[in-house]
Amino acid sequence: MFKFVILLSAFACVLGASIPDGLLPQLDGRIVGGSATSISSFPWQISLQRSGSHSCGGSLYSNTIVVTAAHCLQSVTASSLKVRAGSSYRTSGGVLVQVAAFKNHEGYNANTMVNDIAVVRLSSSLSLSSTIKTIGLATTAPSDGAAAVVSGWGTLTYGSSSLPSQLQSVDLSIVSLSKCQSSTYGYGSQVRSTMLCAYTSGKDACQGDSGGPLVSGGVLVGGVSWGYGCAYPNYPGVYLSVADLRSWVVSAATSV
Ligand code: ARG
């Protein structure tokens, strides 16, 4: 059952919303290259659970509001969603809280993946602790080459049907929008202005990491959005750019 659910969600991610028009999936995998970590190092990380299973990552903006990706919240109802916070493990520990409501960005486009952002409101507020903390939103996009880290419970190889039980993280370098659109990489104009890229050979986010945090300089600079395979040479991970979508988050957080 578990494998079935994961396969379905990975499949949906590959064939559905997460690949912009023109990019077709490949079936060979490549390791993402991270390592197991503790929630204490990423206390803003949550697991968004759909019908009892991990489906996406997210970040704590406040003790009641999570920022995640809009593609994580297509064809779902709030009543089927819960958030696990404060645990290094996606299936146990920390606290599991019911979702009260969520709001997708009105301009989200599943074909282009622009505005792939959403906010989720919890039905009860979290008690902040050493394992549950909020993270600030970037006000400016990170510079090309800046150090960044992405975390999540997504697959360790592209096309894998199982998720790690312990939180993983991997260090990456920011690739500026203009460099990411250049012929150095494979995407060209499919990378849009509300997106940013991060790349390091052999390292990447992957299926199941979506919506989760990309942090640089102590602030949330991105959320996992899409990519061609995972860690494929010359195809960076593409993230929603928090600095570009910040004002939407601030206002959606008060109206969700
Ligand atoms: N769309 C995927 C998900 O729903 C995330 C893909 C990220 N891919 C990447 N190569 N960085 O989990």
Side-chain angles (χ1 to χ4, degrees):
M1 198 276 272
F2 165 70
K3 279 197 169 169
F4 183 60
V5 170
I6 297 311
L7 262 176
L8 269 183
S9 63
F11 213 52
C13 189
V14 170
L15 297 179
S18 59
I19 307 282
D21 293 348
L23 292 181
L24 295 169
Q26 287 183 187
L27 290 175
D28 60 323
R30 179 176 286 266
I31 60 161
V32 175
S35 54
T37 188
S38 165
I39 194 73
S40 311
S41 302
F42 300 88
W44 47 83
Q45 168 92 51
I46 60 86
S47 161
L48 180 67
Q49 313 223 327
R50 185 168 172 168
S51 305
S53 298
H54 171 87
S55 65
C56 275
S59 304
L60 290 170
Y61 168 73
S62 75
N63 61 359
T64 53
I65 302 286
V66 167
V67 177
T68 186
H71 84 256
C72 292
L73 293 168
Q74 300 303 302
S75 317
V76 289
T77 55
S79 61
S80 68
L81 297 171
K82 289 186 167 72
V83 163
R84 188 182 299 281
S87 180
S88 303
Y89 301 91
R90 77 188 145 76
T91 57
S92 63
V95 288
L96 194 57
V97 182
Q98 180 62 46
V99 166
F102 64 85
K103 187 179 217 171
N104 290 320
H105 194 297
E106 298 76 6
Y108 167 63
N109 181 318
N111 294 315
T112 63
M113 297 299 280
V114 294
N115 301 312
D116 186 16
I117 197 164
V119 290
V120 168
R121 181 164 56 83
L122 304 178
S123 61
S124 59
S125 43
L126 298 167
S127 306
L128 301 184
S129 68
S130 62
T131 54
I132 303 183
K133 288 183 185 168
T134 62
I135 185 159
L137 305 182
T139 52
T140 55
S143 311
D144 186 66
V149 58
V150 66
S151 50
W153 288 274
T155 59
L156 303 180
T157 58
Y158 181 68
S160 167
S161 58
S162 65
L163 298 175
S165 46
Q166 189 172 348
L167 184 63
Q168 308 279 311
S169 71
V170 67
D171 294 328
L172 301 169
S173 295
I174 298 291
V175 176
S176 69
L177 185 68
S178 58
K179 254 196 195 164
C180 199
Q181 292 169 327
S182 77
S183 58
T184 302
Y185 300 105
Y187 296 128
S189 59
Q190 287 178 314
V191 182
R192 306 295 188 91
S193 63
T194 56
M195 302 175 185
L196 63 84
C197 299
Y199 183 76
T200 291
S201 180
K203 301 180 176 190
D204 197 359
C206 205
Q207 270 60 39
D209 289 319
S210 278
L214 178 72
V215 172
S216 180
V219 293
L220 189 69
V221 297
V224 177
S225 183
W226 60 275
Y228 179 48
C230 301
Y232 284 3
N234 303 322
Y235 286 92
V238 187
Y239 297 77
L240 60 95
S241 173
V242 169
D244 292 296
L245 295 165
R246 179 193 168 94
S247 61
W248 182 84
V249 173
V250 171
S251 104
T254 65
S255 57
V256 61

